[in-house]
Amino acid sequence: LYFSTLEGTLHAVDARTGQELFSFIPGEKLAVLPKLFQNPAQENPEFGLDLTWSVLRKDNNGDGKVGAGDKVYIYGGMRMGGSNYYALDVTDRKAPKLLFALEAGAGAFAGMGQTWSQPVVSSLKVNGVVRNVLVFGGGYDPQHEIENTLFAKDGVGNQLYIVDAETGSVIWWASNAGGPSMTVADMKFSVPMSPKPVDMNADGLIDHIYFGDLGGQVFRVDIDNANTSASTLAKRVQKLASLAGGSIATQRRFFEPPTVALFQDSAGKYFAGVGLGSGYRSHPLNEATTDHFFVLFDYDAPRPDILTTTALQKEIAIADLASADVGTDSVDMTGKMGWYINFADVGEKVITSGVFFRNTLIFSSYVPSVEGGDSCAPVIGRSKLYSVCVLGGGLCGNSESAITVKD
């Protein structure tokens, strides 16, 4: 069992006995240990390593055991504790090794923000060779801690990275500046979410990567596994949707990764359903922004000519989506490219990912309660669980509405 803490320590614990096997403290966190020991009164905690860790297990003979020639690597970031990522070789838990560190401030990582984006372990081909890779966003810009303030862009975190999972070398990255592999002018906002790689043809390799940002934008990266070099790895970074506006009420942010699945519409055409919810995770009690859960219909991703065509569907705006209310039996989808849910409560927002299951979207929302003002009393909010018919045009079952909700 591997978990990290606000004190800046990664702990490795034997899951059978509860005995700690080792702990790891990044060098830059050693300086805060005396302060933690003294335990002074302070308004905020000392942020250390509070991102979930990812695992790559190379089981060469497929026996389910760590044996000769096998490898186990783990990867983690610092979230509000800093702007670096660390990779450890924990094949031998009695002798762990630092595999590599990705440090912000120089080269491709010059503009990396706080490392909120949990790396996603996946595979793709570079010049005919299958590579194990980490895919992650550029992170979080702390300016979003300033509540109810409009931002035209972010100063850090507006990148998407693909790095070699065994060496830490950068394979490909995208941003709007800084000499990336692909320059994307619209990538102006930080990307704290974990991206969503999608294997469309079930060959074990990434075909597309979906991600959103803190400017309410949603992107899709189209990967060409027949590339001849890393420079031609991605065909394009397509802005799929822009779902925020120019006011505090419409300043929607995407913190959590989308859920993506393949569907077929009533005309028999296939599309990738991309579901994600907006919510100001940095200020969950905020009630100034009107958030939604969105399902976008991406008809381009399943196309067999996606890597050669230039005729792509248009960028999706709010006006291109059907508006659905809780309890609705059907939604008029005529000419629409997806839908969104109008939440019933003020301040209701999404701070977790949803999941598609058998043509149904399941997700939860959070409703804040800011009554009172006693700082010593717990805030009483509540959660809702939604079940929504993905196609949006009829009932999900014989007895339930297209949108049902339970507190």
Side-chain angles (χ1 to χ4, degrees), residues 345-368:
D345 288 284
V346 174
E348 188 171 353
K349 56 182 59 68
V350 180
I351 52 177
T352 61
S353 294
V355 62
F356 289 129
F357 179 71
R358 299 183 66 179
N359 292 323
T360 301
L361 168 69
I362 301 171
F363 72 94
S364 63
S365 69
Y366 172 70
V367 181

Side-chain angles (χ1 to χ4, degrees), residues 171-397:
I171 296 175
W172 181 93
W173 67 293
S175 187
N176 69 339
S181 308
M182 183 168 288
T183 301
V184 184
D186 286 325
M187 289 184 65
K188 300 179 293 184
F189 298 96
S190 58
V191 184
M193 70 160 56
S194 293
K196 181 67 174 181
V198 175
D199 176 8
M200 190 64 69
N201 56 5
D203 64 352
L205 304 174
I206 300 172
D207 295 305
H208 308 287
I209 303 170
Y210 290 90
F211 67 96
D213 64 19
L214 296 190
Q217 302 180 117
V218 184
F219 296 87
R220 186 194 68 238
V221 184
D222 298 326
I223 299 296
D224 182 4
N225 283 293
N227 64 79
T228 55
S229 68
S231 63
T232 57
L233 173 64
K235 172 66 177 179
R236 65 177 71 84
V237 178
Q238 182 75 8
K239 185 160 73 165
L240 182 63
S242 183
L243 303 172
S247 67
I248 297 298
T250 58
Q251 190 181 26
R252 301 181 184 96
R253 299 169 170 90
F254 295 121
F255 279 89
E256 301 302 319
T259 180
V260 181
L262 194 63
F263 297 94
Q264 191 173 24
D265 66 17
S266 57
K269 293 183 64 176
Y270 287 98
F271 67 91
V274 182
L276 74 172
S278 64
Y280 198 176
R281 182 163 183 164
S282 301
H283 290 280
L285 301 183
N286 185 280
E287 296 183 339
T289 301
T290 302
D291 288 302
H292 303 290
F293 199 102
F294 300 89
V295 172
L296 313 175
F297 294 176
D298 181 3
Y299 282 92
D300 287 334
R303 292 173 56 174
D305 65 344
I306 184 63
L307 296 177
T308 57
T309 186
T310 57
L312 302 174
Q313 73 179 42
K314 71 171 188 174
E315 177 185 319
I316 299 173
I318 287 282
D320 300 311
L321 304 175
S323 173
D325 295 319
V326 174
T328 301
D329 287 338
S330 63
V331 178
D332 183 5
M333 295 296 298
T334 305
K336 299 300 183 180
M337 304 171 71
W339 48 263
Y340 65 89
I341 292 178
N342 286 311
F343 292 133
D345 288 284
V346 174
E348 188 171 353
K349 56 182 59 68
V350 180
I351 52 177
T352 61
S353 294
V355 62
F356 289 129
F357 179 71
R358 299 183 66 179
N359 292 323
T360 301
L361 168 69
I362 301 171
F363 72 94
S364 63
S365 69
Y366 172 70
V367 181
S369 175
V370 295
E371 291 83 2
D374 185 353
S375 60
C376 296
V379 174
I380 301 174
R382 70 186 198 275
S383 297
K384 294 182 178 181
L385 181 64
Y386 286 80
S387 174
V388 189
C389 184
V390 171
L391 295 181
L395 304 182
C396 287

Side-chain angles (χ1 to χ4, degrees), residues 1-20:
L1 173 65
Y2 298 95
F3 66 93
S4 50
T5 66
L6 290 179
E7 67 182 359
T9 304
L10 169 69
H11 298 272
V13 177
D14 190 309
R16 293 172 296 181
T17 66
Q19 179 182 2
E20 183 168 86

Side-chain angles (χ1 to χ4, degrees), residues 49 58 130 241 272 329:
L49 296 173
K58 299 181 66 177
V130 176
D329 287 338

Side-chain angles (χ1 to χ4, degrees), residues 1-57:
L1 173 65
Y2 298 95
F3 66 93
S4 50
T5 66
L6 290 179
E7 67 182 359
T9 304
L10 169 69
H11 298 272
V13 177
D14 190 309
R16 293 172 296 181
T17 66
Q19 179 182 2
E20 183 168 86
L21 302 172
F22 71 85
S23 60
F24 166 74
I25 304 176
E28 66 267 35
K29 287 299 175 182
L30 293 175
V32 305
L33 293 181
K35 181 180 179 181
L36 291 172
F37 179 77
Q38 295 164 4
N39 195 27
Q42 58 189 65
E43 181 178 356
N44 294 316
E46 188 69 43
F47 296 104
L49 296 173
D50 56 341
L51 187 69
T52 303
W53 289 65
S54 302
V55 180
L56 169 60
R57 182 170 178 174

